């Protein structure tokens, strides 16, 4: 049988193909495409809608749109939103631009969605088509990122060890769990240091759980994590399992009352060391079956471990500083009297030894000089301690910069002459400026700079100290023709106990650090400019009077 297709209009075949193609596209679209009539009954329900809502097409065709909308929103959709859109001039628009919209699945669960709606008149009937997308995973991803961002801020807010522990557990119950415990490996075993809870009524249970020591003989998830270094998920909290892990009857009672159904234990590891574990307890069965939630819990664990390790290192550093301060206090007290005795006896010896005993007098002078160096070291250490504690006292008063230059001249002129150095101290202003400073402390800071310049400038070189105005500050510049400072060493120059390589110095590296502390205590600045082989220029600014 042969059909005569010549009678079919040429445009009709492409139109039929286009209709089939369009229908196929609508059917396989991942988004839900739903068309309703003016009575809000469902006419079209594509495959994407079936997958999102859980209904088959046959189950919903002819049904009211209400079955896809949570009950609390139905009245608004039916009586307000859709009628208003029908009466308005717009042919299409986004839905719920001012608030989140939700869909209702066949199993009764709700999900967040974004949607747009359009209207079209067909054969005198007004049809509405909604294109809807389930944004559950997008929102969860955004929430997870927000949890990590909030956790970062929270964990960075303190370096106190105990505060960090509490913050870690609190973050966990805010985002993932009903309870959270943090168990830390210590020298004498593993200790449960903190247990947090979400519901205020669970405070007694959390406190009771924290008091119960862990029993190494029990197959507790904590031991599995510490042995393997990997996360452990327990989804079956049966009575038999509780009895197996409970350390005693009180522990079993607490676990029963917690009514936990799922536990995720993650390692707390930082800088290659396993610090302990973090346990998320949930009353929701299967709470941690989603790999994304497990990844979030592990990420929180990594951040928590790093914060905890930073807090531990900070605590150890504070203890070391306290021990050092104790040693400095002992030094300052116990060395004071012996040094005074050395000073007194060396002066007596110098007065009583005949001048012709040159060698003997030189030996005594060496003893006196060594004692002075030791006294200066003790003084520097005590000054550094005061600076670090913020207890360096300065008593600013008006002083002429010319008088300060004279003080430096009195202290260093002879020393410069002994090295055949040209020492120049000059004010670059017609009228010497007046500074507001503690004279002795400022001379100490400037003296450290001038002393270094003289020490490192070769014989026949030049050291200069120049004063000028710099806005509402007075600037002192200490300039030398020494070997200069390599660029890689400049950033560390004012660090305490730091020594330049190949400097030949035999001090503990406190002079510049102390000078910085003194200048900053005046509200001033100190910095250096230097090129290797071209000398160095140190600058100090302090407020003018």
């Amino acid at each position: 049988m042969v059909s005569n297709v010549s009678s079919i209009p040429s445009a009709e075949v492409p139109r039929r193909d286009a209709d089939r193609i369009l229908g196929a596209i609508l059917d396989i679209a991942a988004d839900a495409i739903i068309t309703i009539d003016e009575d809000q009954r469902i006419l079209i329900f594509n495959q994407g809608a079936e997958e999102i809502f859980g209904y088959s097409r046959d189950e919903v065709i002819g049904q009211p749109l209400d079955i896809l909308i949570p009950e609390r929103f139905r009245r608004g959709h039916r009586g307000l939103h859709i009628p208003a859109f029908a009466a308005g001039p717009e042919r299409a628009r986004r839905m719920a631009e001012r608030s989140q919209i939700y869909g209702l699945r066949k199993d009764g669960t709700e999900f967040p969605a974004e949607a747009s709606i359009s209207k079209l008149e067909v054969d005198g009937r007004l049809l509405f088509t909604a294109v809807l997308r389930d944004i559950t995973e997008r929102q969860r991803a955004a929430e997870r990122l927000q949890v990590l961002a909030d956790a970062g801020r929270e964990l960075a807010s303190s370096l106190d060890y105990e505060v960090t522990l509490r913050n870690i557990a609190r973050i966990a119950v805010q985002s993932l769990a009903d309870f959270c415990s943090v168990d830390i490996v210590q020298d004498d075993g593993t200790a449960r240091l903190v247990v947090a809870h979400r519901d205020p009524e669970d405070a007694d249970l959390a406190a009771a759980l924290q008091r119960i020591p862990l029993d190494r003989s029990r197959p507790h998830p904590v031991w599995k994590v510490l042995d393997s270094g990997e996360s452990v998920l327990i989804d079956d909290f049966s009575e038999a399992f509780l009895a197996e892990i409970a350390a005693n009857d009180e522990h079993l009672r607490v676990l029963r009352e917690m009514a936990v159904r799922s536990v995720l234990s993650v390692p707390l590891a930082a800088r290659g060391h396993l610090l302990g574990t973090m346990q998320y307890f949930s009353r929701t069965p299967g709470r941690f079956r989603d790999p994304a939630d497990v990844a979030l819990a592990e990420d929180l664990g990594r951040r928590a471990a790093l914060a905890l390790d930073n807090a531990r290192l900070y605590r150890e550093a504070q203890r070391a500083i306290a021990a050092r301060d104790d040693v400095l206090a002992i030094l300052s007290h116990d060395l004071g009297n012996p040094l005074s005795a050395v000073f007194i006896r060396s002066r007596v010896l110098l007065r009583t030894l005949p001048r012709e005993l040159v060698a003997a007098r030189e030996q005594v002078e060496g003893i006196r000089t060594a004692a002075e160096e030791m006294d200066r070291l003790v003084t520097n250490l005590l000054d550094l301690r005061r600076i670090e504690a913020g207890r360096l006292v300065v008593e600013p008063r008006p002083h002429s910069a010319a008088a300060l230059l004279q003080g430096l001249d009195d202290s260093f002129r002879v020393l410069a002459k002994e090295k055949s150095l040209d020492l120049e101290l000059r004010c670059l202003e017609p009228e010497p400026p007046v500074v507001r400073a503690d004279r002795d402390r400022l001379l100490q800071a400037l003296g450290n700079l001038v002393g270094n310049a003289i020490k490192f400038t070769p014989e026949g070189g030049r050291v200069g100290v120049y004063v000028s105005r710099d806005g509402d500050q007075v600037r002192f510049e200490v300039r030398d023709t020494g070997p200069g400072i390599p660029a890689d060493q400049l950033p560390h120059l004012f660090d305490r106990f730091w020594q330049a390589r190949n400097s030949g110095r035999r001090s503990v590296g406190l002079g510049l650090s102390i000078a910085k502390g003194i200048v900053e205590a005046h509200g001033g600045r100190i910095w250096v400019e230097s090129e290797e082989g071209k000398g160095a220029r140190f600058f100090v600014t302090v407020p003018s009077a």
Side-chain angles (χ1 to χ4, degrees), residues 28-78:
I28 66 172
D31 291 341
I33 300 175
I34 304 164
T35 297
I36 61 174
D37 61 16
E38 291 176 302
D39 295 327
Q40 299 187 29
R41 292 194 174 273
I42 300 171
L43 303 177
I44 295 176
F45 196 77
N46 77 332
Q47 185 177 329
E50 289 181 321
E51 293 176 357
I52 290 174
F53 286 94
Y55 289 100
S56 69
R57 181 180 292 118
D58 293 339
E59 288 178 297
V60 298
I61 294 298
Q63 295 295 319
L65 182 65
D66 286 353
I67 67 170
L68 307 180
I69 300 173
E71 186 174 356
R72 65 186 184 279
F73 299 119
R74 289 173 185 172
R75 179 177 296 180
H77 272 274
R78 174 168 288 279

Side-chain angles (χ1 to χ4, degrees), residues 249 284 432 461:
D249 291 342
T284 304

Side-chain angles (χ1 to χ4, degrees), residues 128-144:
F128 304 92
T129 298
V131 179
L132 178 142
R133 176 172 296 172
D134 181 352
I135 59 171
T136 301
E137 288 306 315
R138 185 200 303 173
Q139 282 202 352
R140 285 180 179 172
E143 289 168 0
R144 293 179 187 119

Side-chain angles (χ1 to χ4, degrees), residues 174-433:
Q174 286 174 346
S175 56
L176 284 171
D178 294 297
F179 297 88
C180 176
S181 69
V182 180
D183 307 289
I184 299 300
V185 177
Q186 299 178 328
D187 293 338
D188 55 352
T190 300
R192 175 158 289 163
L193 298 186
V194 64
V195 177
H197 53 92
R198 177 180 292 180
D199 189 336
E201 294 184 1
D202 290 329
D204 291 341
L205 281 175
L209 184 63
Q210 185 172 336
R211 288 193 299 268
I212 298 170
L214 295 169
D215 187 345
R216 185 58 163 156
S217 66
R218 299 286 182 172
H220 199 284
V222 167
W223 308 126
K224 294 181 180 180
V225 174
L226 293 179
D227 290 341
S228 68
E230 298 179 352
S231 298
V232 173
L233 174 61
I234 307 295
D235 245 351
D236 178 21
F237 252 59
S238 63
E239 181 65 24
F241 179 74
L242 294 182
E244 191 177 10
I245 67 171
N248 49 44
D249 291 342
E250 172 64 8
H251 193 189
L252 183 59
R253 179 193 69 79
V254 171
L255 291 174
R256 284 170 175 164
E257 291 188 20
M258 288 172 64
V260 171
R261 293 294 175 266
S262 183
V263 173
L264 177 63
S265 301
V266 304
L268 293 176
R271 300 181 175 96
H273 298 287
L274 190 58
L275 308 180
T277 70
M278 187 173 175
Q279 293 197 96
Y280 303 84
F281 299 84
S282 177
R283 287 170 170 155
T284 304
R287 173 65 179 85
F288 304 108
R289 289 176 185 167
D290 187 342
D293 286 334
V294 174
L296 174 61
E298 291 177 336
D299 205 345
L300 277 176
R302 284 188 287 271
R303 294 173 187 235
L306 188 59
L308 202 59
D309 200 41
N310 288 339
R312 177 188 64 82
L313 294 172
Y314 178 75
R315 184 174 63 178
E316 292 178 358
Q318 292 299 103
R319 289 174 177 172
I321 290 171
R324 184 205 64 191
D325 287 349
D326 290 342
V327 171
L328 292 180
I330 293 170
L331 277 173
S332 62
H333 180 271
D334 292 357
L335 288 180
N337 290 335
L339 283 174
S340 296
V342 172
F343 286 140
I344 293 171
R345 284 166 173 75
S346 62
R347 284 197 294 269
V348 170
L349 281 173
L350 285 173
R351 285 200 302 269
T352 57
L353 280 174
R355 293 189 177 278
E356 57 270 19
L357 298 177
V358 176
R361 292 179 66 86
E362 287 178 352
Q363 292 296 325
V364 174
E365 185 64 37
I367 293 172
R368 185 181 67 82
T369 300
E372 288 176 349
E373 285 291 331
M374 187 178 295
D375 183 60
R376 191 158 36 247
L377 173 61
V378 171
T379 300
N380 283 343
L381 289 171
L382 292 175
D383 281 344
L384 181 65
R385 179 186 175 190
R386 295 186 189 102
I387 290 169
E388 290 182 341
R391 295 197 301 266
L392 182 69
V393 177
V394 293
E395 299 178 356
R397 291 188 176 87
H399 295 284
S400 169
L404 293 171
L405 290 179
Q406 186 59 52
L408 293 172
D409 187 83
D410 294 341
S411 299
F412 292 100
R413 177 65 63 182
V414 173
L415 184 60
K417 187 175 182 180
E418 289 175 354
K419 284 195 67 176
S420 301
L421 299 178
D422 180 12
L423 178 61
E424 181 182 26
L425 301 105
R426 183 158 54 95
C427 178
L428 304 180
E429 304 288 343
E431 185 73 23

Side-chain angles (χ1 to χ4, degrees), residues 444-490:
Q444 180 184 356
L446 295 172
N448 285 346
L449 301 180
V450 176
N452 279 348
I454 291 174
K455 182 184 298 185
F456 296 115
T457 301
E459 289 188 6
R462 173 187 290 271
V463 173
V465 183
Y466 307 100
V467 179
S468 60
R469 288 189 176 85
D470 187 1
D472 60 352
Q473 304 274 308
V474 176
R475 182 167 66 182
F476 293 83
E477 178 187 348
V478 178
R479 188 186 309 170
D480 65 59
T481 58
I485 304 165
D488 64 325
Q489 297 180 12
L490 290 175

